Amino acid sequence: MTAQRKHRKPRHRSISGHTARTAATLALASAASGAALEGTGNAEPGLTPAQVKAKVDKLYHEAEIATEKYNGVKERAKAAEDRVDELQDEAARRTDRLNSARAGLGSAAAAQYRTGAIAPSMQLALASDPDNYLDRVMLADRAGSRQAAAVRRVRGELRELDGLRAEAGRRSDELGEHRAKLRQHKKDINGKLASAQRLLDRLTAAEREQLTDGLHGSSDTRASRDLPRDPLKAPNSRASQAVSYAYDAIGSPYVWGASGPNSFDCSGLTQAAYRSAGVSLPRTTYTQINAGQRVSRSELAPGDLVFFYSGISHVGLYVGGGQMIHAPNPNAPVRLAPVDSMPFSGATRVS
């Protein structure tokens, strides 16, 4: 392993598919059970299913806001981590060059010590051939100039290496701050989801099923996936491919922080849909809204990104007919839903 790669740590592989679904379920169940032990005495008695739905909707919305913050910080943490790696690699290369230059200077100094230095005036007085001596002095001056240039290069390398190490230290500190924020956002998300699950657990199975059907669209995912598609209405081939991807994703589980291929959160779904079409979208709702041309609700076409709530905390992919495909929440998989099922905030046509 080369010097510049010694600092690297192995990357953790992301989980997906059945593993992601199982992990998400266990995490949610664990968080819910822990929170239930803490808050049993504070549970609100006598809530109607409609009141439970209102509270659960609010908690899921708050969890989604925290999820988008988590996604944004995670993206910045990844950029900081990559930059630290680059700086450390470059510092390792510079250190190798510096060590080679130092070794060269050390050899030259040792050679001078071995030959000994006699004052130029004395060497001239003792020389049997003054002309030959003067020629040697001129050569020595040139060699001295080259050595002086080498010393300057070493000093420059030292300054640049110090600068690289200082920047790497700043980036490492920044990465530590990002990771602390990620832990806090993760805690907030799990807390909101646990509270929502506690409320749902107080309902009967029939009430839960009815409430889940009412959370942001129909739960008949198989029928939704088999609906006729009209890709020709999409403004371009990229939008058409994104719509096709979204239809194929219907029924996939919601997992916060996931962007496919087998589980998604809301912005992760739209990012993955356009990634399948060769388009790179930002990771969060509040950055995706600026990823293309803003369009009005009356101008919507299949493939447009549709955003909801005043804080732009939710996004779906418009598919035509007043419908979108989106990843609603942990209690509802990717599904088809009316655009007017949530407070509309704006729309963007990806360029």
Side-chain angles (χ1 to χ4, degrees), residues 193-246:
L193 297 182
S195 296
Q197 190 61 52
R198 285 204 308 275
L199 288 168
L200 291 171
D201 287 344
R202 294 166 56 182
L203 302 176
T204 66
E207 287 172 334
R208 279 198 301 273
E209 184 177 355
Q210 184 178 8
L211 186 148
T212 301
D213 287 348
L215 289 173
H216 305 329
S218 168
S219 63
D220 192 352
T221 55
R222 183 170 57 186
S224 297
R225 190 185 291 111
D226 294 337
L227 283 173
R229 311 177 192 183
D230 190 359
L232 296 179
K233 290 183 178 179
N236 54 60
S237 60
R238 297 184 301 277
S240 177
Q241 170 57 32
V243 169
S244 294
Y245 183 97

Side-chain angles (χ1 to χ4, degrees), residues 57 60-61 63-64 193 212 215-218 251-255 264-266 269 309 313-315 324-337 341-342:
D57 269 338
Y60 279 154
H61 181 213
E64 193 158 53
L193 297 182
T212 301
L215 289 173
H216 305 329
S218 168
S252 300
Y254 178 103
V255 174
F264 307 89
D265 61 22
C266 70
L269 174 64
Y309 301 102
S313 57
H314 190 76
V315 62
M324 66 173 173
I325 295 174
H326 71 143
N329 57 63
N331 244 3
V334 175
R335 59 177 58 188
L336 194 70
S341 60
M342 287 174 284

Side-chain angles (χ1 to χ4, degrees), residues 43-54:
E44 299 177 59
L47 289 177
T48 67
Q51 290 172 322
V52 169
K53 179 183 181 303

